[in-house]
Amino acid sequence: MTITMLKTATKTPDTETDTARKVVTEMLAAIEAGGEQAVRDYAAKLDGWSGPIVLDQAMIAERMKDVPQSVKDDIAFAAGQVRAFALAQRDSVRDFSLELSPGLTIGQKLVPVNTAGCYVPTGRYAHIASAYMSIATAKAAGVKTVIACSAPFRGESIHPHVLHAMTVAGADMILCLGGVQAIAAMTFGLFTGKPADIIVGPGNKFVAEAKRMLFGKVGIDVFAGPSEVAVIADAAADPLIVATDLVGQAEHGHESPAWLITNSRNLADEVIRLMPQLIDALPPTARDAAGAAWRDYGEIVLCDTREEMVRVSDDYASEHLEVHCADLGWWHENLTNYGSLFLGEETNVAFGDKVSGPNHILPTKFAARYSAGLSVHKFLKPLTWQKMDREACKRVAPVSARISRLEGMEAHARTSDVRMTKYAPGSNVDLGKPVEA
């Protein structure tokens, strides 16, 4: 049993991290000190935008007035898919209460955060889908206020298609801001007076680093990096479809890894042959991004067995994982580390990215080993509660007192003592030996 690297990446996801960290550190310090004016300065300097930051309904309507009905219909369908899936997720978790023992009732109450910030990137591409992926999911969770941010597009306000998607998804407030300044503004409540409780959405390395550095002051969805794809394929897979799907995700950017894991040398060789052809056939922007990504981050791993393929895939913990193999049920049962799984040739990442329903905001950089993608659960707090009557209190208090004293925590124990004195005066219950030290 052997694992052979037929193509090895020359860079890792952390290659550019130090540069991003330095830039973001300086920007966050400036914004925290300078507030809204510092944000405006960065918007003018980095995005060439000195227009309104907060878009009112009249501005939104004017910007969207020329959006074709066919585009509106497509966005409505896709947003509806995502909303339906998110509502089903919400229905899968529930409040409950349980009388654990006589007189002692415990429970869980699912409470949505009050304010969510949803970042929708606009740079190399206008990420229409990211608007409804984040905003519709937050609304399905019951979030009261959703603040959406996206950068100006080509010297004007937010891309009209992105803006329409934000509106359809249910955004309550929309800011024309991009990059680090957008993440900082949502975190500190600039322009809105409503600091976000959680910030979600994909972005470039600077956006990802800003979210990472602000985590703690604000919740975040995932520790994100460049988009990733892995394809597991056996000898029966179609090499053209496999290669096309790898290129389809490498298009995201210069630092987007694309990995093939296979037990077929013939398939691997054919994919290696096809990749440059498919990349060269792309329009310039996509060709530049996919070419660099495949050159620097692409890998092909040749395995002997499907068990080895599973092990390699779980080590990579890819954001997106496609399986082009026989016996799809076996793969579904045995694979454990991935952001989202796409089973069969008919089911590809682009469908999930745009329209099929499950969220496309997913963990990268190995975070799929311990984390899942964006869902309604990210916006919900499963808050616990408990209530007991006096009889239950008299059963619980002595145990609490004794354990507290075993731990050396006398003040804790006395919260039990005082209740036993009040509720069971004269009782001869063992409350443990008082702490003397």
Side-chain angles (χ1 to χ4, degrees):
M1 296 173 65
T2 58
I3 296 173
T4 304
M5 299 297 300
L6 300 183
K7 183 182 185 304
T8 303
T10 59
K11 295 183 179 180
T12 72
D14 291 323
T15 300
E16 305 295 331
T17 298
D18 289 343
T19 299
R21 189 164 296 162
K22 182 177 185 296
V23 170
V24 173
T25 298
E26 293 174 357
M27 290 183 67
L28 291 180
I31 292 169
E32 194 159 12
E36 291 181 2
Q37 187 56 52
V39 170
R40 292 185 187 277
D41 292 343
Y42 278 123
K45 176 182 177 182
L46 299 176
D47 291 325
W49 181 249
S50 55
I53 300 296
V54 181
L55 303 187
D56 61 27
Q57 290 303 311
M59 295 173 189
I60 293 170
E62 174 63 23
R63 185 67 171 149
M64 297 191 311
K65 63 183 175 58
D66 294 326
V67 175
Q69 187 60 46
S70 60
V71 172
K72 293 179 180 179
D73 292 343
D74 286 344
I75 290 174
F77 175 76
Q81 294 280 105
V82 172
R83 185 180 292 110
F85 185 80
L87 288 170
Q89 284 184 322
R90 179 62 182 87
D91 289 343
S92 73
V93 291
R94 60 184 177 82
D95 296 356
F96 70 85
S97 63
L98 171 68
E99 190 172 38
L100 198 61
S101 61
L104 169 55
T105 305
I106 62 171
Q108 169 181 281
K109 182 180 181 183
L110 293 160
V111 179
V113 301
N114 288 305
T115 303
C118 296
Y119 183 75
V120 182
T122 301
R124 184 179 291 108
Y125 310 107
H127 290 269
I128 298 166
S130 291
Y132 47 79
M133 290 287 176
S134 56
I135 297 165
T137 303
K139 280 300 182 183
V143 177
K144 295 176 184 175
T145 302
V146 175
I147 300 167
C149 274
S150 193
F153 183 71
R154 296 180 179 174
E156 299 187 49
S157 188
I158 295 172
H159 192 295
H161 297 169
V162 171
L163 195 56
H164 181 74
M166 289 175 164
T167 303
V168 169
D172 298 292
M173 304 180 76
I174 298 176
L175 308 185
C176 183
L177 278 177
V180 175
Q181 59 269 29
I183 303 303
M186 290 189 287
T187 298
F188 301 131
L190 304 178
F191 305 102
T192 64
K194 293 179 177 289
D197 301 309
I198 186 171
I199 291 178
V200 304
N204 64 20
K205 61 189 175 187
F206 301 103
V207 167
E209 183 61 22
K211 288 166 65 179
R212 189 193 68 81
M213 292 180 68
L214 288 167
F215 177 61
K217 291 183 179 180
V218 66
I220 64 172
D221 43 5
V222 292
F223 289 112
S227 185
E228 304 165 350
V229 64
V231 176
I232 297 175
D234 62 17
D238 184 329
L240 178 60
I241 290 180
V242 169
T244 300
D245 288 359
L246 290 170
V247 173
Q249 289 303 295
E251 174 183 47
H252 270 286
H254 296 77
E255 300 159 19
S256 292
W259 303 309
L260 171 61
I261 303 164
T262 183
N263 58 359
S264 169
R265 181 62 187 255
N266 289 338
L267 176 81
D269 289 343
E270 183 63 7
V271 169
I272 289 173
R273 187 186 71 82
L274 288 169
M275 289 295 288
Q277 299 176 22
L278 296 174
I279 291 169
D280 288 345
L282 293 171
T285 297
R287 182 170 66 243
D288 175 61
W294 179 245
R295 180 191 67 231
D296 296 337
Y297 294 90
E299 294 195 337
I300 296 180
V301 186
L302 181 63
C303 302
D304 284 341
T305 68
R306 63 182 187 176
E307 288 78 14
E308 285 181 344
M309 294 161 74
V310 165
R311 180 156 54 87
V312 170
S313 177
D314 281 349
D315 286 344
Y316 277 67
S318 178
E319 177 189 19
H320 308 97
L321 178 59
E322 293 187 3
V323 179
H324 297 224
C325 295
D327 195 4
L328 293 175
W330 183 90
W331 296 94
H332 193 190
E333 180 70 22
N334 285 277
L335 290 162
T336 60
N337 293 347
Y338 50 81
S340 192
L341 184 62
F342 303 82
L343 292 164
E345 177 186 292
E346 300 81 3
T347 316
N348 73 29
V349 173
F351 297 164
D353 273 353
K354 310 304 178 188
V355 71
S356 53
N359 213 284
H360 80 189
I361 299 169
L362 301 166
T364 64
K365 297 173 73 172
F366 307 109
R369 294 176 301 166
Y370 57 83
S371 177
L374 184 65
S375 68
V376 294
H377 309 100
K378 291 285 185 178
F379 300 101
L380 293 170
K381 300 176 291 183
L383 305 180
T384 60
W385 59 270
Q386 50 194 280
K387 183 179 184 296
M388 61 183 73
D389 61 19
R390 289 194 174 183
E391 290 304 310
C393 179
K394 288 190 289 185
R395 291 195 305 275
V396 169
V399 180
S400 177
R402 292 194 295 269
I403 290 176
S404 295
R405 288 186 164 112
L406 287 172
E407 293 177 337
M409 304 182 77
E410 181 61 24
H412 276 62
R414 291 181 185 183
T415 67
S416 296
D417 296 353
V418 70
R419 285 169 172 78
M420 292 301 293
T421 298
K422 180 176 182 178
Y423 303 153
S427 65
N428 192 28
V429 176
D430 178 15
L431 297 174
K433 182 179 179 182
V435 179
E436 298 178 357

